[in-house]
């Protein structure tokens, strides 16, 4: 039964109440750490950590490079909650399970969500190590019906037909780009469109050309469901993609993308993502 398939408001509320009974932090900002970007929590002070497996009702993370815990604390003087290890659709979680942590953060009271990911560059001008401030997305799974908001709509989360033309807040994009330029990152900061594929396969050449033809600059396997659910709840979003590899869009190339290279690029460039996020949070 499609209508009963997910979690209801009460289940999300129970997780929220559990967490609020265990921590005094009252976060206004949520941060989602992407592949290889778990180091984002480094600058968080007075950390209080909750392993996903210790939170009743929470799903479990299965991917290497994703630690699997919620981290509460203070970043740049603001109370935050970080999701270290996210849930991907390709892990077999339904769209509702993938986005459950976002709803939990929403009920915890966040007004802003910073979401990061590792992505492949389809834009020819992009290099490994570039950081793209997301301006829009194409969600192939969500377009095709694997969408986190199908089924009964609970108005306590948000409206039945939420608009999606302003999900990546333009003032947030501007602020992140300014911060990057001021920090001397102008040679590798970008602004572009993120295309989500369900994965776990990397894309065929034709699929990448499709993404590029639609105006996509980077491709990945996350972020879109979380941003949809956050936006549904009225949470403003900033998205940052770390370009971990160049997509192979020619048939005569013998190169192949692999997860190790994605994690390695993440480790090398994560300090810049960390810096941008830390300063961004400070300026909110
Ligand atoms: Cl090339 N594709 C996808 N779907 N996700 C990625 C990636 C590529 N590189 C990093 N993440």
């Amino acid at each position: 039964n499609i209508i009963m398939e997910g979690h209801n408001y009460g289940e999300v509320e129970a997780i929220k109440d559990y967490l609020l009974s265990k921590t005094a932090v009252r976060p206004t900002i949520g941060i989602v750490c992407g592949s290889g970007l778990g180091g984002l929590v480094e600058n968080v002070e007075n950390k209080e950590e909750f392993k996903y497996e210790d939170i009743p009702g929470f799903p479990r993370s299965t991917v290497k490079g994703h630690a699997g815990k919620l981290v509460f604390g203070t970043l740049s003087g603001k109370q935050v909650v970080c999701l270290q290890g996210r849930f991907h659709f390709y892990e077999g979680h339904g769209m509702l399970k993938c986005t459950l942590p976002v709803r939990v953060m929403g009920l915890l009271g966040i007004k802003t969500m910073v979401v990061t990911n590792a992505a492949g560059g389809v834009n020819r001008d992009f290099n490994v190590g570039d950081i793209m401030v997301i301006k829009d997305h194409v969600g192939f799974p969500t377009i095709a019906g694997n969408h986190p908001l199908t089924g009964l709509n609970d108005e306590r989360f948000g409206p039945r037909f939420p608009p999606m033309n302003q999900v990546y807040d333009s003032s947030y994009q501007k602020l992140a780009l300014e911060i990057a330029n001021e920090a001397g990152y102008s040679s590798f900061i970008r602004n572009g469109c993120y295309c989500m594929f369900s994965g776990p396969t990397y894309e065929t050449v034709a699929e990448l050309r499709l993404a590029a033809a639609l105006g996509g600059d980077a491709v990945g396997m996350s972020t879109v469901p979380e941003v949809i659910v956050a936006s549904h709840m009225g949470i403003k979003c900033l998205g940052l993609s770390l370009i971990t590899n160049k997509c192979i869009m020619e048939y005569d190339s013998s190169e192949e993308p692999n997860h190790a290279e994605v994690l390695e690029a993440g480790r090398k460039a994560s300090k810049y993502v960390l810096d941008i996020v830390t300063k961004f949070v400070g300026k909110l």
Side-chain angles (χ1 to χ4, degrees):
N1 182 338
I2 288 168
I3 293 169
M4 299 305 291
E5 153 190 292
H7 45 272
N8 58 40
Y9 194 89
E11 289 171 69
V12 185
E13 212 172 26
I15 299 172
K16 182 259 302 180
D17 289 339
Y18 172 84
L19 292 166
L20 289 185
S21 76
K22 301 270 177 193
T23 177
V25 179
R26 295 294 176 263
T28 56
I29 300 156
I31 299 170
V32 183
C33 306
S35 292
L37 291 166
L40 273 178
V41 302
E42 256 167 55
N43 290 357
V44 176
E45 294 164 289
N46 303 319
K47 283 197 264 285
E48 291 177 45
E49 311 193 335
F50 300 87
K51 285 191 207 143
Y52 294 160
E53 65 213 62
D54 297 334
I55 306 170
F58 225 73
R60 308 277 175 95
S61 181
T62 67
V63 195
K64 273 193 186 166
H66 291 261
K69 57 190 181 198
L70 268 187
V71 181
F72 288 81
T74 308
L75 181 64
S76 303
K78 308 277 165 63
Q79 302 197 64
V80 300
V81 56
C82 305
L83 202 59
Q84 199 178 22
R86 61 146 62 89
F87 301 100
H88 299 86
F89 186 63
Y90 63 72
E91 291 176 80
H93 302 291
M95 283 291 179
L96 275 169
K97 273 268 185 291
C98 294
T99 54
L100 172 75
V102 175
R103 285 189 159 163
V104 170
M105 294 196 296
L107 292 198
L108 284 169
I110 69 161
K111 301 286 176 253
T112 301
M113 183 173 79
V114 178
V115 45
T116 64
N117 61 53
V122 287
N123 184 319
R124 295 287 174 194
D125 297 334
F126 285 13
N127 300 305
V128 171
D130 283 357
I131 297 166
M132 182 182 86
V133 176
I134 303 177
K135 83 169 157 215
D136 200 358
H137 72 223
V138 174
F140 287 110
T142 53
I143 288 171
N146 280 312
H147 192 294
L149 301 181
T150 56
L152 271 187
N153 185 61
D154 191 319
E155 295 276 336
R156 288 171 291 183
F157 287 124
R160 170 78 286 186
F161 299 111
M164 284 287 130
N165 54 313
Q166 305 242 16
V167 278
Y168 299 93
D169 186 82
S170 53
S171 64
Y172 283 3
Q173 290 180 58
K174 198 162 159 264
L175 181 57
L177 291 166
E178 272 168 21
I179 288 166
N181 286 322
E182 271 169 35
Y185 304 161
S186 42
S187 63
F188 58 89
I189 193 77
R190 310 286 189 175
N191 194 203
C193 177
Y194 177 88
C195 291
M196 181 203 179
F197 286 87
S198 70
T201 51
Y202 290 109
E203 296 72 28
T204 64
V205 170
E207 285 163 349
L208 290 168
R209 290 180 179 182
L210 171 66
L214 295 178
D217 297 294
V219 292
M221 306 179 193
S222 67
T223 302
V224 168
E226 292 127 306
V227 165
I228 288 172
V229 164
S231 168
H232 183 232
M233 296 180 87
I235 298 162
K236 296 206 281 181
C237 298
L238 173 73
L240 298 174
S241 289
L242 174 61
I243 306 302
T244 55
N245 55 283
K246 282 194 164 200
C247 289
I248 295 138
M249 298 174 69
E250 296 79 33
Y251 287 103
D252 55 9
S253 171
S254 59
E255 285 177 73
E256 289 178 339
N258 67 80
H259 191 55
E261 123 189 284
V262 169
L263 291 182
E264 175 62 15
R267 263 190 292 278
K268 280 195 185 144
S270 65
K271 62 171 181 282
Y272 304 113
V273 180
L274 171 69
D275 189 40
I276 294 168
V277 173
T278 303
K279 289 172 176 162
F280 176 81
V281 167
K283 293 195 178 196
L284 283 178

